Amino acid sequence: MSEPVRIAMWSGPRNLSTTMMRSFGARPDTACVDEPFYAAYLISTGTVHPMQEDILAAQPHSGVDVVHQLTKAPVPGGKRVFYQKHMTHHMAPAIPRNWMGQVTNAFLIRDPARVLASYARKMEEVSLEAIGVPQQAELFERVCQIRGEAPPVIDSDDILADPPGMLRALCAALGIAYTDAMLSWQAGPKNEDGVWAPHWYDAVWQSTGFGERRPAPLGLPSNLMALADEARGSHEAIAAHRLTPLPA
């Protein structure tokens, strides 16, 4: 019996990441895990986030224990695909990285101005580290070195413009079959949702599919625009490798 496909999808917050987890969770052959390093990140950095106590009670505090769950433990439900939704900013320096060659890595990106506009509506303090920009660049370079080439990269705006075409391209790059089941799902909470979902997932809980691409933010405050400009080079270096849609 072949080994399951363990997919590590790396993104920053406010980046269509939960919608992508919904899409993979709609596959009958796939189990999902939601931000498994969240508690380990909070412990490692001393960061305080909304619903802190709930997060710490729900997840392992040791990055080593999380790695075992992701790479060695049986996939929940005995599924053939294990989709791991990861936040790049959770990969604090103390979090192990030596496991990344044991999974199939992919990167989900979004225009930094869009990310910052969305993130600032939920959190008071905003920085490039908080939205995972430098961490994503580091992880992307690490995976490039492991693979000897760039991993699959998908842009959230490209997905919203053509969900079936982009999902076909992504599945082909990941070595799994595409299915139209990935295009829709039931509204409401899901078993794989992290305990923080009530704070962050209001829009996702109402969704039944990818929806329409939203207009670009009309303008950002000067402090956020400066951050978006600072992130632009890193974003574009990764975006240069993004996938293009595959026709049916």
Side-chain angles (χ1 to χ4, degrees):
M1 193 172 185
S2 61
E3 286 293 311
V5 180
R6 299 173 187 258
I7 299 166
M9 180 63 77
W10 299 98
S11 75
R14 318 310 290 171
N15 198 8
L16 208 71
S17 57
T18 310
T19 300
M20 284 295 293
M21 183 175 70
R22 283 288 184 273
S23 176
F24 275 82
R27 295 174 59 103
D29 64 350
T30 300
C32 299
V33 63
D34 193 7
E35 302 182 26
F37 285 107
Y38 202 161
Y41 156 76
L42 295 175
I43 292 291
S44 173
T45 62
T47 304
V48 177
H49 271 197
M51 303 188 70
Q52 179 100 353
E53 292 184 3
D54 296 301
I55 296 167
L56 296 180
Q59 292 184 323
H61 295 184
S62 164
V64 173
D65 291 341
V66 177
V67 168
H68 181 269
Q69 170 195 356
L70 300 177
T71 61
K72 303 297 184 186
V75 176
K79 302 289 189 177
R80 302 303 307 150
V81 179
F82 189 19
Y83 184 86
Q84 305 165 6
K85 173 196 164 193
H86 292 295
M87 294 287 102
T88 57
H89 67 280
H90 288 171
M91 298 301 283
I95 302 295
R97 288 155 170 74
N98 58 358
W99 59 278
M100 294 177 66
Q102 302 175 51
V103 296
T104 301
N105 297 277
F107 286 76
L108 173 63
I109 62 173
R110 189 186 189 194
D111 179 84
R114 290 178 178 269
V115 174
L116 287 162
S118 179
Y119 188 82
R121 289 194 291 268
K122 292 284 187 178
M123 300 290 280
E124 292 183 3
E125 294 189 17
V126 182
S127 67
L128 292 189
E129 288 74 21
I131 64 170
V133 170
Q135 299 95 322
Q136 189 168 57
E138 178 234 318
L139 295 169
F140 184 78
E141 179 58 30
R142 181 179 294 270
V143 175
C144 286
Q145 293 176 0
I146 291 170
R147 288 170 50 96
E149 61 181 354
V153 176
I154 47 172
D155 187 295
S156 63
D157 286 334
D158 292 340
I159 295 170
L160 293 176
D162 183 1
M166 289 307 303
L167 290 171
R168 285 189 203 98
L170 176 60
C171 288
L174 296 173
I176 61 176
Y178 166 76
T179 168
D180 284 338
M182 300 177 73
L183 298 175
S184 62
W185 47 86
Q186 295 281 325
K190 305 297 181 193
N191 290 336
E192 62 263 25
D193 291 349
V195 295
W196 52 87
H199 182 81
W200 293 100
Y201 293 177
D202 47 343
V204 173
W205 279 359
Q206 298 175 41
S207 74
T208 57
F210 282 93
E212 300 294 326
R213 180 182 176 186
R214 295 182 179 179
L218 295 178
L220 291 176
S222 59
N223 64 317
L224 296 184
M225 184 57 70
L227 288 175
D229 290 341
E230 188 179 347
R232 188 72 55 193
S234 172
H235 171 79
E236 291 179 352
I238 298 174
H241 301 280
R242 70 185 188 274
L243 298 170
T244 55
L246 280 182

